[in-house]
Amino acid sequence: DTEVTQTPKHLVMGMTNKKSLKCEQHMGHRAMYWYKQKAKKPPELMFVYSYEKLSINESVPSRFSPECPNSSLLNLHLHALQPEDSALYLCASSQDILSSRNEQFFGPGTRLTVL
Amino acid sequence: SQQGEEDPQALSIQEGENATMNCSYKTSINNLQWYRQNSGRGLVHLILIRSNEREKHSGRLRVTLDTSKKSSSLLITASRAADTASYFCATDAKNFNKFYFGSGTKLNVKP
């Protein structure tokens, strides 16, 4: 299985809602990533997990809270988001974060709209 | 901030022609990767070139890397309409374990 899956595909939420994005891979990868992508822009790295531990947080606001319950799953908990947080949220995984093994496999993304 | 810039921003060619995209970056890298993204979807890994390599081929793709100029190019030969997508370079910055995407080139291949 060489697939990264993400749910939901689309999410519309109000600024007071709490929701979660989910990502799953069964390739035995030990590094997982969250990216945010605005329209016509490149993906921007948000978080990196390595061996289920948070390795990098790119100064992301605390209204985004990542969680890695096990080596196959990665969640992104959302709370009190702003309309400018509307974007495509992409999950990716790689064998690990070392440069020799960090070719990333991406999921299809969750299209988030914050009203 | 992201460290890669790509040019051109947009490229429109006829099917069968070659397409060349360029990427420049700012810091020393371990490797450079190219990805393709179809409209609004996830990215697909195309090719990885290590900092000690100068050229790499994969099917119709040819990638070059010039670390002295901090630049890379992606050549797609004999393009097809199905190659229409956005193409991003991504650099693995040395000593940072971070991964930065370039600004992207939007390629349109007309049938």
Side-chain angles (χ1 to χ4, degrees):
Chain A
D1 185 356
T2 58
E3 199 179 35
V4 176
T5 58
Q6 287 186 247
T7 56
K9 283 189 168 53
H10 300 274
L11 178 62
V12 179
M13 61 186 289
M15 289 190 284
T16 58
N17 292 158
K18 283 186 183 181
K19 296 285 184 184
S20 297
L21 309 184
K22 295 185 184 303
C23 174
E24 191 166 2
Q25 57 87 14
H26 294 288
M27 294 178 277
H29 288 174
R30 303 315 299 266
M32 296 186 77
Y33 309 76
W34 280 115
Y35 289 87
K36 174 183 176 180
Q37 187 178 26
K38 301 283 273 185
K40 299 183 181 178
K41 296 289 187 183
E44 292 182 21
L45 184 65
M46 299 175 72
F47 301 105
V48 180
Y49 272 82
S50 176
Y51 288 82
E52 298 151 55
K53 289 189 174 10
L54 185 63
S55 172
I56 293 174
N57 176 343
E58 287 284 82
S59 303
V60 179
S62 60
R63 58 186 184 269
F64 295 91
S65 174
E67 179 198 19
C68 190
N70 60 56
S71 59
S72 300
L73 292 173
L74 185 66
N75 299 322
L76 186 63
H77 302 298
L78 315 173
H79 174 54
L81 294 195
Q82 305 295 311
E84 59 264 29
D85 296 322
S86 299
L88 181 68
Y89 287 84
L90 294 163
C91 172
S93 70
S94 64
Q95 278 188 287
D96 63 42
I97 61 172
L98 295 178
S99 63
S100 57
R101 295 189 287 274
N102 64 3
E103 169 193 337
Q104 294 184 30
F105 291 76
F106 280 81
T110 293
R111 176 76 59 192
L112 174 67
T113 302
V114 182
L115 300 176
Chain B
S1 63
Q2 303 298 316
Q3 75 154 346
E5 293 294 328
E6 291 181 60
D7 77 89
Q9 286 189 339
L11 180 61
S12 185
I13 59 175
Q14 291 293 140
E15 209 166 26
E17 293 180 339
N18 295 341
T20 300
M21 290 158 262
N22 302 296
C23 166
S24 61
Y25 57 91
K26 296 175 186 170
T27 65
S28 295
I29 61 171
N30 294 306
N31 65 52
L32 186 144
Q33 303 179 36
W34 285 90
Y35 288 81
R36 184 186 76 219
Q37 184 177 35
N38 289 86
S39 182
R41 305 301 292 166
L43 285 81
V44 175
H45 183 268
L46 296 176
I47 197 165
L48 180 153
I49 185 165
R50 302 193 192 288
S51 59
N52 61 354
E53 297 176 311
R54 292 295 165 258
E55 189 171 311
K56 205 159 182 182
H57 298 254
S58 176
R60 293 184 295 114
L61 306 180
R62 173 177 167 254
V63 168
T64 62
L65 179 64
D66 187 335
T67 52
S68 66
K69 294 181 180 176
K70 292 187 168 59
S71 67
S72 174
S73 67
L74 170 67
L75 168 67
I76 304 175
T77 59
S79 62
R80 304 166 183 167
D83 294 329
T84 294
S86 290
Y87 291 81
F88 295 94
C89 66
T91 52
D92 167 14
K94 245 178 199 174
N95 302 324
F96 291 101
N97 281 334
K98 291 186 180 180
F99 207 69
Y100 294 110
F101 281 86
S103 50
T105 293
K106 193 175 172 73
L107 174 67
N108 180 32
V109 181
K110 294 177 280 189

